Amino acid sequence: MLRERPLSDQTRRFVLTFAMLAALALIVVGVMAADTGPSAVSDTAGGAVEDQFPRAGDQILRQEQVGIDLAEGWMGSLAVNGIEIPEQQVIRNSGQNQLFFQAGAGKVLEELPSGSTCMTATLWEIARGPAQSRAVTWCFEVL
């Protein structure tokens, strides 16, 4: 019959240290690979966007406001599923540098289309003007 030999203190410490480092590495990889999901704001506009309403992947009702919160020094226009929102229908909260649209009677959209809906904000730095604009698009679900 074979008798098990006890592990030496040095071997035991090595195994324990290795196990702890492996667990720590798995935690770090898990955090780095975590999907931040809809709460993440697209940064395709080079820091121009501070928030989107609703955020990508959110679900909203047909009459809710949709829009974008811009960094200071930026301006923009909005479109829903490729339909440009006329300037007079854009709700501008200039104190917060936010642009919104709310569908309703007499507007380009009386209600947001149900299903997957995409919002596009065409953005430009005020100092450079709209000739050097960039577009940010995000999609959400309208119930």
Side-chain angles (χ1 to χ4, degrees), residues 38-123:
S39 64
V41 174
S42 170
D43 195 22
T44 59
V49 179
E50 291 184 349
D51 211 348
Q52 299 161 334
F53 307 98
R55 291 184 176 169
D58 281 357
Q59 293 182 338
I60 65 167
L61 300 175
R62 292 180 178 203
Q63 296 300 325
E64 287 189 46
Q65 281 190 348
V66 292
I68 195 162
D69 183 1
L70 301 175
E72 189 174 330
W74 288 84
M75 179 63 83
S77 63
L78 300 174
V80 176
N81 287 348
I83 299 170
E84 292 289 327
I85 306 302
E87 178 60 33
Q88 65 272 20
Q89 294 179 19
V90 174
I91 302 163
R92 294 189 182 273
N93 180 350
S94 56
Q96 299 292 318
N97 206 20
Q98 297 172 329
L99 311 174
F100 290 101
F101 172 72
Q102 187 164 15
K107 295 193 177 173
V108 68
L109 292 171
E110 292 199 3
E111 60 183 25
L112 295 173
S114 62
S116 181
T117 300
C118 295
M119 188 92 189
T120 300
T122 303
L123 311 174

Side-chain angles (χ1 to χ4, degrees), residues 3 78 82 115 126 141:
R3 245 178 104 194
L78 300 174
I126 294 171
E141 194 73 21

